Structure formats: C-alpha cells, structure tokens
Amino acid sequence: MTTPESPLTIAVGDSAVSGAYARPDTPAATVVVAHGAGTGMEHPFLAGFTRALNDMGIATLRFNFPYREAGRKFPDRPPAAVAAWRAAMAEAAARSGGEPLWAAGKSFGGRMASMAVAEGMPAAGLVYLGYPLHPPGKPEKLRDEHLYGLTLPMLFLQGTRDPFATPELLEAVVARIGPSASLEWREGGGHTFDVAGTKRSADEVGASLAGPAAAFIAAHASG
C-alpha cells in the first residue's frame, strides 16, 4: 500500500520553500532528502527513492532549496542552502515520533547536507546519492575538507562512471574519513546512476537505491 504524501511549506528565514512529507505507520527512521543542482524535489529520481523508502517503513521529507523555489537556475550559496537544510530537518523533527532523523541528498543536496552537519546540524547519519567530489575533469579541485571532521555514519552510493567522482579519489577520501563511512559502487553508473545499455526510468533508478540506504540505516539503528 502506497504511503500518502502530503505537501507542506517550510519557512526558511523570511521566505519559504515547498516540501512533501510521507509517514508510514511506526517508521523506523525519517529521511530528509534534498535535490541536485539541476532539478527540484519533484524529480522522478527522488520521488522513486522516497516512495521505495516509505514501502520499507521509513518516513521521508523532500524539499526544495530557495533558488529552485524562486525559479532560478544557479544553486544557492552554502549559507542559504545550509539554512534550508536546517529548516527542513527541524520540520521533520517536529513531525517525528522520536525516531532517528537522517539526511540524504542527490549530488549538491548531499554535499550541502554534509556541510550543514559539519556546522552543527543534528543528524543520525548521512546518505549521499552521488557525492560531487570534484567538478568533471577537475580532480584537483576536491570538495572534501569538511568531511574529515564528521563522525556520524555516512553512506556513499556512487556510480563507477560518475564524472564528479574519480573512483580512486573517492575511495581514498572514504578511507581517510574512517570506519564511520561506507562506499557502495553501482557498476557502470553515471552521475544520475544511468547505465549505458540499460533502460530504466528515473523513478526506478531512484527506487533501486532505497534498499541499500534502508539497510545502512537499519544497521546503525542503535547508533
């Protein structure tokens, strides 16, 4: 049975952003999910991911960053994105029954979640749906410094052909973070986890990542 999803509005400073909340009966956790730089919370990839989590007994809250809400194409600077993350997590906490509250995001959304946590935002753990470790073709410009101070559980789900994360570099980063971080590869996957020669809809691709995310969350339920 599909868990109904309710639209909501989240105040972020003097403005507001849209959100969508779904809560199955007695959820094991709540996962707040942010979109990537070029899409919004309505993207089928994120909808498929959150619906699959709901089917696995996990509540979800998707939300838009302010730039997307305003119809702008260029992503928010970190302070604005972090403020949106804090507001979304606070909204999820207010609706929770005390279950663990996790943060997850596609690319930019996951990176901003990690920056928010590095700046003190409470979270039980982080799930990255394609971490943008560096710009395509620029492996020398790593976006990793803030990760090494994080000690909460972190799951990196990454395609082996993602131009935003050279495999050897990401493996080195995860190893340096330490035992709190885990890395799971999706063979042949690009930045959207698309695999050449395989026809899957975006919602199916998103849903395929819910299983490993839910398993990782369950494994750290007592953490």
Side-chain angles (χ1 to χ4, degrees), residues 65 74-85 108 111-113 115-116 119:
F65 286 111
F74 195 77
D76 297 312
R77 300 292 296 171
V82 166
W85 254 114
F108 170 82
R111 178 174 168 239
M112 292 299 107
M115 292 182 72
E119 294 180 17

Side-chain angles (χ1 to χ4, degrees), residues 4 16 20 27 36 86 147 150 168 175-176 194 201 204:
R86 286 183 174 276
L147 296 174
L150 304 181
E168 308 83 58
R176 183 178 170 188
D194 54 304
S201 64
E204 289 175 325

Side-chain angles (χ1 to χ4, degrees), residues 3 22-31 50-60 100 102 210 213-215 217-218:
T3 303
R23 186 175 183 83
D25 293 336
T26 61
T30 289
V31 178
T50 55
R51 276 198 300 267
L53 285 178
N54 298 154
D55 291 343
M56 297 172 188
I58 294 175
T60 57
W102 286 65
I217 290 169

Side-chain angles (χ1 to χ4, degrees), residues 177-195:
I177 292 171
S180 63
S182 295
L183 171 59
E184 291 191 24
W185 291 107
R186 290 296 173 265
E187 185 61 40
H191 193 52
T192 58
F193 294 91
D194 54 304
V195 177

Side-chain angles (χ1 to χ4, degrees), residues 96-165:
S96 80
E99 71 273 5
L101 192 60
W102 286 65
K106 177 71 184 76
S107 191
F108 170 82
R111 178 174 168 239
M112 292 299 107
S114 65
M115 292 182 72
V117 170
E119 294 180 17
M121 183 181 79
L126 288 159
V127 175
Y128 305 110
L129 307 175
Y131 187 83
L133 183 61
H134 56 75
K138 298 180 180 180
E140 71 281 2
K141 296 187 176 181
L142 295 182
R143 302 155 171 163
D144 63 335
E145 289 187 4
H146 68 285
L147 296 174
Y148 303 120
L150 304 181
T151 58
L152 74 174
M154 288 183 281
L155 174 62
F156 291 79
L157 293 171
Q158 202 86 22
T160 58
R161 298 178 63 85
D162 187 342
F164 285 82

